[in-house]
Amino acid sequence: MTTVLPRVAWIGLGIMGSPMSENLIKAGYPVTGYTLEQDKLDRLAAAGGTPAGSVAEAVKEADVVVTMVPASPQVEAVAYGEDGILANARPGTLLIDMSSITPQTSVDLAAAAADKGIRVLDAPVSGGEAGAIEAVLSIMVGGDQADFDEARPLFDALGKTVVLCGPHGAGQTVKAANQLIVAVNIQACAEAVVFLEKSGVDLSAALDVLNGGLAGSTVLTRKKRNFLDREFAPGFRIDLHHKDMGIVTDAARTVGAALPVGSVVANLVASLRAQGDGGLDHSALLRGVERLSGLPARG
């Protein structure tokens, strides 16, 4: 007996959304997609998906709607209004928001969707562009257990570590913590790189041995070439990490958690963005350390 996979509408085909939607197509899911850029719609069609002319058109026949857009305002733009998801998806549809947004936006969206008979999971991801392409993302989910169980096969086509973290908004809270750890880790690596180079050490050799010990991390593994080659084409843009540091700083203040180091790194991310580096990969925090160390920022 052949299992009929649910029809998926995918909204947002950016650096992450395009390869993720293609992995669903490879897994056999029928995918209809919508995004603002025609070249991304052409890419989806070339991969075997169906481009749509609007959010409403994409979601009207879908069993599952996945959104992967930059921030809370974009989620609200595609979800609400007469042309949005809630007004055009059928009752019973499962809406999975994989964007990184504020926990409160996720809670509010789930409540608004429930009034329309639409179920919601917040399911932000970690792993960057490489993780999206390789389908090894970490997916942190907030919502009901039954909806999570229903979505699990779809998640398994996109990621390797998939965990229900709690009720609506919990996935976004865990993602905020993830972005805090990643930013602090990148900043520490960047400071080590400048320290090592100024000391005349073989940087490549040093990073290899550091990554084999307790200082090793997925960040160092993924970003080593960026540091060595000063190659900062975005896998994850400083602009987006700036947004995420705002989310975690605000959420931590709300619950009364101190972020003494995180607050400093949030300011360093903001500084890099203010200097015109917002479109670069977050490994470009190295450029900020170079400037502070009296070096010309390279790359």
Side-chain angles (χ1 to χ4, degrees):
M1 178 178 167
T2 303
T3 302
V4 178
L5 293 173
R7 292 167 293 184
V8 177
W10 193 287
I11 311 299
L13 297 166
I15 287 174
M16 301 291 288
S18 281
M20 291 169 72
S21 63
E22 288 162 12
N23 283 332
L24 287 190
I25 293 168
K26 289 173 191 170
Y29 287 85
V31 177
T32 298
Y34 175 72
T35 199
L36 297 175
E37 300 86 10
Q38 183 60 46
D39 63 311
K40 301 293 177 57
L41 291 172
D42 294 341
R43 172 175 168 175
L44 179 72
T50 304
S54 67
V55 171
E57 181 187 333
V59 307
K60 64 183 180 182
E61 299 295 334
D63 302 304
V64 178
V65 177
V66 182
T67 49
M68 186 50 144
V69 295
S72 294
Q74 288 83 11
V75 170
E76 291 167 344
V78 299
Y80 300 123
E82 63 182 31
D83 299 321
I85 295 166
L86 300 191
N88 292 281
R90 297 172 302 171
T93 299
L94 178 60
L95 170 56
I96 304 173
D97 176 40
M98 305 192 80
S99 319
S100 294
I101 62 175
T102 70
Q104 191 60 50
T105 304
S106 292
V107 171
D108 294 344
L109 176 60
D115 292 339
K116 301 277 191 178
I118 295 171
R119 301 163 295 143
V120 175
L121 295 171
D122 50 285
V125 305
S126 179
E129 182 182 15
I133 293 168
E134 297 162 20
V136 295
L137 293 166
S138 179
I139 305 174
M140 42 219 92
V141 187
D144 295 338
Q145 181 74 52
D147 296 333
F148 174 77
D149 292 342
E150 182 182 324
R152 185 61 195 256
L154 184 149
F155 288 143
D156 286 339
L158 299 173
K160 186 170 67 171
T161 305
V162 183
V163 179
L164 180 64
C165 300
H168 297 295
Q172 297 297 351
T173 300
V174 176
K175 178 60 190 285
N178 180 86
Q179 297 305 80
L180 168 67
I181 293 169
V182 170
V184 171
N185 197 335
I186 292 175
Q187 179 65 26
C189 291
E191 293 179 15
V193 166
V194 172
F195 165 61
L196 290 165
E197 287 199 323
K198 278 203 160 225
S199 301
V201 172
D202 180 327
L203 181 61
S204 182
L207 295 182
D208 280 344
V209 72
L210 289 171
N211 208 27
L214 192 57
S217 66
T218 303
V219 164
L220 190 49
T221 299
R222 291 284 195 192
K223 301 301 181 181
K224 178 187 172 186
R225 293 314 319 174
N226 301 71
F227 295 140
L228 288 173
D229 301 338
R230 266 44 176 203
E231 171 52 58
F232 301 123
F236 188 78
R237 299 192 307 276
I238 284 288
D239 281 337
L240 290 176
H241 216 132
H242 173 70
K243 176 261 301 183
D244 289 343
M245 294 307 285
I247 290 172
V248 69
T249 301
D250 182 64
R253 184 182 297 124
T254 298
V255 299
L259 304 181
V261 176
S263 298
V264 171
V265 177
N267 280 325
L268 292 169
V269 173
S271 171
L272 198 62
R273 183 171 179 265
Q275 293 175 77
D277 288 344
L280 300 180
D281 186 74
H282 51 179
S283 56
L285 278 166
L286 177 58
R287 288 167 59 84
V289 182
E290 287 176 331
R291 292 183 183 112
L292 289 170
S293 301
L295 298 171
R298 291 188 278 151

